[in-house]
Each structure stands twice: as C-alpha cells, then as structure tokens.
Amino acid sequence: RAKSDGRGIVRVYDQEMDEAMQARRSLQAALRQAITRGELSVAYQPIVNLTSQHIIGAEALVRWRHPEHGFIPPAQFIPLAEECGLIEKIGTFVLRTACAEAASWPGDTSIAINLSPQQSNDTQLVHIIADILATTELPPDRLELEIVETTMLETGSPTEDVLWQLHRQGVKIVLDDFGTGYSSLSYLRRFPFSKVKIDRSFVCDLGYEKADSSIILAIIGIAETMNMQVTAEGVETQTQANLLRAYGCPQAQGFLFHEPMEGTELAKLLTAQQAGSERALPRVL
Ligand code: C2E
Ligand code: MG
Ligand code: MG
Ligand code: MG
C-alpha cells in the first residue's frame, strides 16, 4: 500500500513542481519585456523627521503592472529578476528614473534606492551611478543606496570595495531591514554606512513586546555612537510613533505618515512644504 501511495505522491509533486516552474518561467518572460513595454514604474514613499514631520527624503519602490495580472508586488518579482539575470536592467531603470525625479525636488530632499546583492557585487555599478549622477545632475549626497544584510555576507566579493568607492563619491550607503539578517555587528564598522533602517518587524509590536523596545533602543544607541542616522520602518500607529519619538528615533517611514505615491504627487507635497503650508503635513501628533 505504502509503495503504491508513494509513487502516486511523487507523481503529484512532479506535476505541481512542473506547474510552479512553468508559472515562474512565464512570469520571467513577461518581466523581460516589462521595461520596454513601459509596465515598470517607480513609487516614492516619504521619510519624515519624527519631530517636525517634515518630509526629508523618499524611498523609491519599483512597481510592475502586468497587462493581465495587474500589480505584482516587488517581493514576488524581484527574486525572479535576481534569479534570471534581469535585476541589473531593472535596477538601473529604477536608479535612472528615481534620480531624474529627485533632481527636480526642492531643498535637499534625499532619494533612497534599494540595491540587490548582484548590483553591488558588480564593479560596473560605480560607473553606472557616476553616469546617472552626471546626466541627472543630482548631487551625490542626496542619493542613498539601501542594501540588506545578506549583501554583505559573501567574503571576497567586490561588494565591499564597490560600496567604499561609492562612499568616496559622496553617495550614502544605508543598511536596510536591520536586525533581520545574519550579519554581525562588526559589519557596521567594516562598511561605510551613513544610516540604518530599523526593520518593520521590530516596530509592529511596539508597546506590546518589551524586547522590541530594548532592541530599538540598542539600535538607536549604536547608531548615535557611530554617527549614523536611523529610520524606523513600517510605522502604522500613533502609539508606535510616540514611543519611537520618546526613544529618540530621529526619522520614520510608514503608512501612518505617507503611503508610497507617484513622483508628481510627492513633488506637490514638497513644494507645499517648501512654501510653509500646513497641508504638506500628515495629521499625526
Ligand atoms: P523595503 O526596502 O524594506 O521597503 C519597504 C516596504 O515596506 C515597501 O514595500 C513599502 O511599501 C512597505 N511599507 C512602507 N510602510 C509600511 C507600513 O507602514 N506598513 C507596512 N505593512 N508596510 C509598509 P514594497 O514596495 O512592497 O517593497 C517590498 C520590498 O521589495 C522592499 O522592502 C525591497 O526589499 C524590495 N524592493 C522594492 N523596490 C525595489 C527595487 O527597486 N529594487 C530592489 N532590489 N528591491 C526593491
Ligand atoms: Mg528599502
Ligand atoms: Mg526596509
Ligand atoms: Mg523591510
């Protein structure tokens, strides 16, 4: 009995795996054409000063509108793009689009752009970014590149050198989703980080989980000592914002303040803010 069941199960798994693989392949094929067909765009989520609530920067978040399936979240298609070698192309598209957009923003509003490990592992990135900064005329110190902890793990990869070169060009390097990966604290010394972003998972239970408060306080403490900025991610409630402010967290990003929006919409908010209009502020205490 067990044997015949076993064979049956194997065949079912085979078929399911086949279907999953096919679905992935067809999505990858669609993604390959997405750029040229204009299906990719960039959304911008403001990052605010937690005290004044003024917008001090924004994070660029790639969006893909599939002709049949509608919006597909980046958490789904970025890994696909990384797997099939499309990430460089998509990454460069986001860099170019977001830097051009940000160059027109008033004041010294910064633009943060996510980098996949493959992008920073390629020495070409230094040239790509130098070219984009030159053509868009965006000042290098307004560009922030967000990397995740897994990016730093490969020893002997070009990543470390690439990030230091970018740092010397005046570009800021940011450690994203801090505390969720496997990196040791010594990476904070080895890489030229200007900022760490406290992952949403530590923010979401603030006020209920004592440990999360301790972790956040520790991150803020380390960042202060090392002269790094801090942004808390995924702030959704007033309680979270109040606690973060009480802990001395200088910056925040989250649905409580602003959701990701189109570039034109953000430009309007920034212009209103520049003019001193209260309309630019989210209704948060
Ligand atoms: P991330 O870099 O940590 O970006 C923040 C994510 O949190 C965004 O999701 C944003 O919409 C979401 N978020 C912001 N505020 C809140 C909040 O208050 N509550 C909740 N629940 N979520 C919030 P999104 O746009 O779906 O992006 C997910 C991830 O995909 C990003 O995480 C980043 O790792 C990756 N990603 C997005 N755009 C790019 C890109 O251009 N290149 C690369 N390599 N990765 C990207
Ligand atoms: Mg990010
Ligand atoms: Mg993040
Ligand atoms: Mg995150």
Side-chain angles (χ1 to χ4, degrees), residues 45 59-63 73-75 78 82 87 94 113-116 119 146 148 176-177 199-200 233-236 253-256 258 260:
Q45 186 178 32
E59 177 172 8
L61 298 160
V62 68
R63 296 291 177 256
I78 291 288
E82 288 173 338
I87 196 64
V94 175
I113 301 174
N114 294 286
L115 285 187
S116 283
Q119 289 178 273
E146 297 192 358
V148 289
D176 200 0
D177 301 347
D199 190 65
R200 189 168 82 218
E233 291 189 283
V235 179
E236 292 181 352
Q253 177 181 356
F255 297 161
L256 176 68
H258 301 277

Side-chain angles (χ1 to χ4, degrees), residues 48-55 245 257 273 281-282 284-285:
V48 301
N49 174 312
L50 205 37
T51 311
S52 69
Q53 290 176 49
H54 280 129
I55 299 170
R245 203 179 296 116
F257 302 101
Q273 178 173 292
L281 295 176
V284 182
L285 287 178

Side-chain angles (χ1 to χ4, degrees), residues 67-144:
E68 291 137 52
H69 308 311
F71 278 107
I72 299 176
Q76 205 177 323
F77 73 83
I78 291 288
L80 279 186
E82 288 173 338
E83 194 183 277
C84 70
L86 276 174
I87 196 64
E88 276 87 356
K89 225 176 174 176
I90 293 174
T92 302
F93 164 81
V94 175
L95 280 164
R96 243 178 232 292
T97 307
C99 287
E101 187 82 45
S104 72
W105 293 342
D108 47 11
T109 315
S110 61
I111 178 70
I113 301 174
N114 294 286
L115 285 187
S116 283
Q118 279 115 306
Q119 289 178 273
S120 55
N121 201 19
D122 181 356
T123 49
Q124 274 302 104
L125 182 69
V126 180
H127 306 295
I128 293 171
I129 286 178
D131 175 60
I132 291 174
L133 290 174
T135 50
T136 59
E137 295 182 39
L138 180 75
D141 63 352
R142 282 175 53 197
L143 174 60
E144 300 179 341

Side-chain angles (χ1 to χ4, degrees), residues 55 101 258-271:
I55 299 170
E101 187 82 45
H258 301 277
E259 296 200 10
M261 58 183 80
E262 281 193 20
T264 48
E265 198 181 332
L266 177 55
K268 273 188 213 150
L269 277 182
L270 289 170
T271 308

